[in-house]
């Protein structure tokens, strides 16, 4: 045996390094729960690259802890209470360990025997999620690497079931289309184009002033699409929209889809997790009437990225993604092998996603997820109130979950100037690294955007953020540099 191979697989080295890494991460978690640290240490992309290029050139020792510490140092640290940026949550440590187990075992999931426990656990996780969403035992589905892929997978199934051509086997001559809110995530638009429907295949319903789909316009948009020669096969509801966290009226969309025999898909990447909250599940009323729902575990269910559940109300549809409708009509139940997951997902080799999700369910139970989701939404709503109470701040729309958009708005400033001002505030906050928040642009206005995913974030952290924004804003204005749009 060559020395290098012996060394790379040395069990004692692995034990020592593994313990050192877990100790390091546990210490960092303990200290971020106790005191304030910076959330990130900002470096411009080129400088970040130079750092790593130098690391490669000058690497001296073979202790991976130096590497691990350095990666940690330049990561955004979701475990800090002042992390309030993108929608991803700090993973429950047990699920990070489950991810590590999966990485070590490296079972590829492409066929049942190369992932037996994770395959069976995947079926179980889907059943648990489906029950939580209010679906019956008929429901089935798969886990995918992310909401983007789950949405595309669902829409392919929708086409297979609803289109009257055999598109999968013979292609199509028709112009298919779906209806979706203008506020939907861009991955829905991409899915439509990937399916070959082009720009004409996506019909965007305008949103109201709370950024929810104006469902009262669906009949007219549908009529118009048909008179333009389009075959509408689906409506996609957002639960919620990414930018503002606005939930479409799922009951209204369900009624409309039933009336016209359309597929109802819900992009619940962020908000379908409200199904786990006793207090807030009413926000997603009507979810159980959808034909398919995509839900990310890595956003509101504290699981490492990316882990997504795609649930079909009628489990048979879950076998339709890469198949022709006729096929499914003639197939015996026994031909639908639940354990051949690769037949139903894009991924051939796939991470052992189910183990990450199940580790949380099994260790901490549904009540923990309820507590987490409820805490996050409570924080979002409270932050909305604090913004309204602050005369220097403007709330974009009342938060419906843990996503909150707002801006610094000193009196007497025009929109163009306010846009540039808020851009600069957000940039300065990024560079300082005490907080991590993001921004979004809606209808020509730049908003600061927070997702409150760290359950340890306190009201005082939110107050601190608002006063930091005010101070930063005043300072920028006082510098007298012209703030232009
Ligand atoms: C985050 C998000 C997506 C994308 O999901 P990924 O898991 O990042 O692929 C899709 N839709 C909505 C509404 C989202 O919030």
């Amino acid at each position: 045996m060559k020395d290098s191979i012996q060394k790379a697989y040395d069990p004692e080295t692995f034990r020592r390094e593994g313990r050192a890494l877990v100790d390091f991460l546990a210490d960092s978690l303990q200290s971020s729960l106790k005191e304030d640290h910076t959330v990130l240490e900002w470096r411009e992309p080129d400088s970040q690259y130079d750092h790593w290029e130098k690391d490669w050139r000058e690497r001296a020792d073979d202790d991976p802890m130096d590497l691990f510490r350095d990666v940690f140092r330049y990561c955004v640290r979701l475990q800090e209470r002042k992390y309030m940026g993108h929608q991803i949550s700090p993973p429950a440590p047990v699920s990070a360990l489950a991810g590590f187990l999966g990485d070590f075992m490296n079972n590829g999931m492409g066929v049942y025997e190369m992932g037996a426990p994770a395959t069976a656990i995947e079926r179980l996780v889907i059943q648990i999620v489906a029950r939580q969403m209010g679906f019956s035992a008929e429901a089935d589905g798969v886990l995918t690497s992310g909401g983007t892929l789950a949405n595309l997978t669902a829409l392919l199934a929708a086409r297979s079931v609803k289109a009257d051509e055999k598109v999968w086997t013979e292609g199509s001559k028709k112009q298919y289309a779906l209806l979706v809110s203008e506020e939907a995530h861009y991955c829905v638009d991409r899915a439509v184009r990937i399916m070959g429907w082009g720009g004409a295949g996506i019909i965007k319903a305008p949103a109201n002033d709370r950024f929810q789909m104006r469902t009262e316009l669906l009949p007219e948009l549908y009529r118009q699409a048909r008179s333009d020669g389009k075959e509408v096969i689906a409506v996609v509801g957002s639960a919620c929209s990414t930018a503002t966290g606005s939930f479409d009226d799922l009951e209204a969309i369900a009624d409309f889809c039933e009336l016209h025999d359309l597929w109802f898909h819900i992009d619940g990447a962020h908000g379908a997790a409200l199904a786990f909250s006793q207090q807030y599940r009413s926000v997603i009323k009507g979810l159980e009437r959808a034909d398919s729902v995509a839900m990310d575990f890595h956003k509101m269910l504290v699981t490492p990225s990316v882990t997504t559940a795609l649930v079909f109300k009628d489990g048979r549809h879950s076998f339709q993604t890469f198949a022709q409708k006729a096929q499914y009509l003639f197939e015996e139940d026994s031909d639908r092998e639940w354990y051949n997951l690769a037949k139903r997902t894009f991924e051939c080799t796939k991470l052992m996603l189910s183990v990450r999700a199940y580790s949380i369910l099994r260790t901490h139970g549904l009540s923990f997820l309820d507590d987490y989701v409820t805490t996050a939404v409570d924080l979002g709503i409270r932050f909305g109130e604090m913004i309204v109470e602050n005369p220097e701040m403007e709330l974009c729309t009342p938060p419906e979950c843990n996503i909150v958009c707002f801006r610094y708005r000193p009196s007497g400033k025009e929109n163009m100037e306010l846009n540039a001002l808020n851009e600069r505030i957000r940039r300065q906050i990024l560079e300082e690294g005490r907080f991590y928040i993001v921004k979004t642009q809606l209808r020509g206005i730049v908003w600061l955007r927070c997702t409150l995913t760290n359950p340890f974030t306190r009201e005082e952290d939110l107050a601190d953020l608002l006063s930091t924004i005010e101070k930063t804003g005043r300072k920028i204005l006082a510098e007298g540099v012209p703030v232009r749009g």
Side-chain angles (χ1 to χ4, degrees):
M1 176 58 62
K2 293 205 169 29
D3 275 0
S4 66
I5 295 175
Q6 204 90 46
K7 187 175 165 219
Y9 287 88
D10 179 56
E12 287 313 314
T13 309
F14 174 54
R15 191 190 312 281
R16 193 178 62 246
E17 291 169 350
R19 284 182 175 161
L21 177 61
V22 171
D23 279 344
F24 174 74
L25 294 176
D27 287 347
S28 88
L29 179 60
Q30 191 164 43
S31 112
S32 55
L33 294 180
K34 260 199 296 214
E35 60 211 51
D36 247 4
H37 310 107
T38 52
V39 182
L40 77 156
E41 189 173 324
W42 176 249
R43 270 182 185 240
E44 294 296 333
D46 285 343
S47 141
Q48 183 76 231
Y49 181 75
D50 290 345
H51 174 83
W52 292 104
E53 203 265 341
K54 184 161 173 281
D55 180 79
W56 170 243
R57 246 186 303 117
E58 296 178 0
R59 70 198 186 283
D61 60 52
D62 56 3
D63 181 1
M65 269 319 289
D66 292 341
L67 167 64
F68 297 160
R69 268 193 221 97
D70 224 20
V71 169
F72 178 92
R73 175 176 169 192
Y74 292 113
C75 276
V76 176
R77 292 176 288 270
L78 284 65
Q79 287 75 12
E80 297 298 335
R81 290 185 348 234
K82 289 179 165 56
Y83 171 86
M84 306 171 182
H86 287 290
Q87 296 154 276
I88 297 176
S89 45
V94 70
S95 65
L97 292 175
F100 170 69
L101 172 67
D103 282 354
F104 187 85
M105 300 314 291
N106 214 15
N107 278 204
M109 305 289 292
V111 292
Y112 169 70
E113 50 203 69
M114 258 310 265
T119 299
I121 292 172
E122 180 161 330
R123 184 184 188 189
L124 179 61
V125 166
I126 290 288
Q127 288 306 319
I128 294 169
V129 169
R131 258 346 68 68
Q132 205 63 30
M133 288 177 172
F135 290 118
S136 75
E138 305 279 288
D140 194 1
V142 288
L143 297 181
T144 69
S145 295
T148 298
L149 210 48
N151 284 318
L152 174 60
T153 308
L155 293 172
L156 283 167
R159 182 178 69 178
S160 166
V161 173
K162 293 293 183 192
D164 53 19
E165 296 172 301
K166 295 179 179 168
V167 185
W168 188 254
T169 47
E170 295 165 15
S172 73
K173 298 190 176 65
K174 291 189 177 177
Q175 169 69 62
Y176 295 104
L178 57 75
L179 289 156
V180 65
S181 162
E182 62 175 345
E183 286 301 321
H185 192 274
Y186 69 83
C187 71
V188 176
D189 184 280
R190 276 201 188 158
V192 165
R193 292 166 199 269
I194 289 168
M195 290 191 293
W197 303 356
I202 184 152
I203 302 165
K204 290 189 178 161
N208 62 22
D209 57 3
R210 297 190 62 172
F211 303 92
Q212 300 152 326
M213 179 196 271
R214 288 184 57 192
T215 50
E216 75 278 12
L217 300 179
L218 286 176
E220 176 51 24
L221 290 166
Y222 181 67
R223 197 200 56 75
Q224 185 62 48
R226 285 172 57 105
S227 81
D228 292 345
K230 298 179 188 178
E231 186 170 329
V232 179
I233 64 171
V235 182
V236 177
S238 301
C240 47
S241 72
T242 303
T244 56
S246 304
F247 288 78
D248 289 344
D249 182 343
L250 304 179
E251 294 277 19
I253 300 175
D255 289 342
F256 182 78
C257 287
E258 275 167 25
L259 189 64
H260 298 286
D261 189 29
L262 302 174
W263 185 279
F264 178 20
H265 174 66
I266 295 180
D267 179 359
H270 186 89
L274 265 58
F276 287 82
S277 166
Q278 300 285 346
Q279 190 178 336
Y280 291 115
R281 59 183 316 155
S282 60
V283 175
I284 50 168
K285 211 153 115 332
L287 181 108
E288 72 291 346
R289 294 173 66 191
D291 293 292
S292 52
V293 181
M295 181 197 76
D296 283 347
F297 272 95
H298 52 280
K299 285 178 180 162
M300 289 196 83
L301 296 173
V302 288
T303 307
S305 322
V306 279
T307 309
T308 302
L310 170 60
V311 181
F312 292 86
K313 176 168 63 189
D314 177 346
R316 292 174 304 175
H317 291 154
S318 147
F319 294 81
Q320 277 314 103
T321 302
F322 309 111
Q324 193 48 58
K325 182 178 182 176
Q327 215 167 305
Y328 124 80
L329 289 176
F330 299 121
E331 242 177 27
E332 295 291 324
D333 272 1
S334 59
D335 293 338
R336 288 193 293 271
E337 296 170 336
W338 64 267
Y339 47 84
N340 265 328
L341 290 171
K343 282 192 175 174
R344 293 190 271 161
T345 56
F346 272 93
E347 296 124 302
C348 170
T349 304
K350 179 167 89 172
L351 293 169
M352 295 164 60
L353 303 172
S354 61
V355 184
R356 304 166 174 186
Y358 187 58
S359 68
I360 300 176
L361 290 162
R362 186 178 188 280
T363 311
H364 302 300
L366 292 168
S367 64
F368 160 67
L369 292 177
D370 185 345
D371 289 343
Y372 171 82
V373 173
T374 304
T375 299
V377 178
D378 281 346
L379 267 174
I381 290 171
R382 179 62 198 129
F383 192 34
E385 291 164 358
M386 291 166 70
I387 291 163
V388 169
E389 288 157 13
N390 186 322
E392 301 265 273
M393 299 288 164
E394 180 185 7
L395 185 65
C396 173
T397 179
E400 296 177 62
C401 61
N402 59 338
I403 300 175
V404 186
C405 292
F406 63 105
R407 63 177 174 166
Y408 176 56
R409 185 178 193 172
S411 55
K413 304 278 179 230
E414 295 301 317
N415 264 340
M416 290 297 271
E417 202 178 355
L418 287 171
N419 281 358
L421 179 59
N422 280 278
E423 296 255 19
R424 289 204 7 211
I425 291 172
R426 137 71 202 174
R427 178 74 200 182
Q428 204 145 319
I429 287 176
L430 175 76
E431 288 173 12
E432 280 166 10
R434 275 188 67 232
F435 290 89
Y436 182 62
I437 63 169
V438 295
K439 60 171 180 166
T440 189
Q441 187 156 358
L442 294 159
R443 297 171 186 165
I445 294 180
V446 172
W447 300 95
L448 304 171
R449 176 170 171 272
C450 289
T451 311
L452 304 169
T453 69
N454 187 319
F456 296 97
T457 299
R458 304 176 198 152
E459 209 170 299
E460 69 194 66
D461 299 312
L462 300 172
D464 189 358
L465 174 62
L466 292 180
S467 76
T468 302
I469 290 169
E470 278 173 46
K471 263 184 243 151
T472 311
R474 288 202 198 106
K475 195 159 145 272
I476 292 171
L477 289 171
E479 279 161 5
V481 183
V483 187
R484 286 184 296 107

